[in-house]
Amino acid sequence: MKKFLLAVASVVLGTVSAMAADLAPQYTKAPAMAPSYNWTGFYVGANVGGQWGSADPTTSTVFSPTGYFAASSVPAIAAVGAQKVNSSSVTGGLTAGYNWQVNQAVFGLEGDINYFGFKGGATGSAVYPCCAPFSFAVSSQVSADWLATIRGRIGFVATPNWLIYATGGAAIAEVRSNFKFTDTFTVTESAAIRDTRVGWTAGVGSEHAIGGGWSLKAEYLYVDLGRSTATSTNLTAGALQNVFTHSVDLKSNIVRVGVNYKFGGPVVARY
């Protein structure tokens, strides 16, 4: 009987111990905190893409009773001299900037200098209204080799590693234009414009951080460099003279992709 009671007690105690073990609190290790990208910091980068744009060079003159042209020739020259030059090319260059992240907003200042590659020309001709069959011709050449921008950026962090932004500021380029007027009387006139233009630019973009300070971006910019004007009095018609006015403007669309590298900056922990 005593052995039986001892066996029963042993079974009961074992069962209670097992139940106590099951009811004991279970502890698990907290997950490690993963680093979250922060956009604050100085960065440098490079970009490549394409530009397509247009320029509107103009050539005109004025009527003078002692000048070379008949009154009817003045509007005819202006009509032929209102020309259109289209250009497209590969563009690429270097970028540097600084971002400040405040919660989900990112504010930045960015500058870049790029090969622009704008180049093109146009030619038109017509018969003198007063003096058929004699005619005249007007030609224009426009180019801009480089483009620099200084822009502000304001963006929204859609995900910790993905930034969507708008940008705008100043656009700077040297616009070069050459103009020439000729007619079948062998009269010629020419002029050139060399002007470092300060215009404006605006656009939108997206940038994605890929780790180690590196990020990839895609960007669209619209550029308007405004209009430059020059006058000329070098008409080769002996004592007869006419003042010519030449002008040119330049606008362009740019689509490009790039890679940036950010130096330092805080890393925010997240679960």
Side-chain angles (χ1 to χ4, degrees):
M1 187 65 172
K2 183 182 294 186
K3 290 182 179 180
F4 175 76
L5 292 175
L6 288 173
V8 170
S10 176
V11 170
V12 170
L13 288 175
T15 302
V16 171
S17 298
M19 291 178 62
D22 290 340
L23 293 175
Q26 302 293 317
Y27 297 97
T28 58
K29 186 178 181 180
M33 292 185 293
S36 175
Y37 192 81
N38 188 287
W39 293 90
T40 296
F42 173 75
Y43 61 90
V44 296
N47 65 79
V48 65
Q51 71 83 19
W52 70 98
S54 64
D56 297 315
T58 67
T59 294
S60 62
T61 188
V62 294
F63 173 71
S64 170
T66 60
Y68 175 73
F69 298 111
S72 61
S73 299
V74 172
I77 293 171
V80 173
Q83 299 180 336
K84 188 83 168 180
V85 173
N86 295 315
S87 172
S88 61
S89 66
V90 173
T91 179
L94 302 176
T95 303
Y98 193 92
N99 286 324
W100 296 267
Q101 180 171 347
V102 182
N103 298 323
Q104 299 299 106
V106 174
F107 306 91
L109 182 65
E110 182 173 283
D112 58 58
I113 185 163
N114 281 44
Y115 170 74
F116 193 29
F118 188 103
K119 186 175 183 179
T123 300
S125 62
V127 173
Y128 280 120
C130 67
C131 312
F134 298 103
S135 63
F136 65 91
V138 177
S139 64
S140 307
Q141 302 290 327
V142 184
S143 64
D145 292 336
W146 57 269
L147 173 73
T149 73
I150 302 173
R151 296 173 284 108
R153 297 204 311 174
I154 180 169
F156 172 76
V157 179
T159 70
N161 289 9
W162 180 30
L163 174 67
I164 303 171
Y165 63 88
T167 182
I172 307 160
E174 183 186 45
V175 178
R176 297 179 292 171
S177 304
N178 292 290
F179 304 87
K180 188 171 184 179
F181 172 91
T182 60
D183 72 7
T184 49
F185 292 107
T186 69
V187 167
T188 64
E189 179 274 340
S190 62
I193 293 176
R194 301 287 187 274
D195 191 8
T196 300
R197 300 294 304 164
V198 179
W200 62 272
T201 181
V204 294
S206 175
E207 191 167 352
H208 183 73
I210 57 176
W214 294 96
S215 61
L216 302 176
K217 74 173 185 179
E219 187 173 69
Y220 165 79
L221 294 177
Y222 177 78
V223 174
D224 187 339
L225 293 170
R227 183 170 289 275
S228 299
T229 302
T231 59
S232 166
T233 58
N234 65 2
L235 185 73
T236 59
L240 301 176
Q241 288 295 317
N242 276 80
V243 176
F244 276 77
T245 300
H246 303 279
S247 70
V248 63
D249 69 352
L250 195 157
K251 301 178 177 67
S252 183
N253 301 274
I254 299 172
V255 173
R256 59 194 186 186
V257 295
V259 57
N260 289 337
Y261 178 77
K262 180 171 71 73
F263 296 91
V267 175
V268 179
R270 64 181 175 89
Y271 288 99

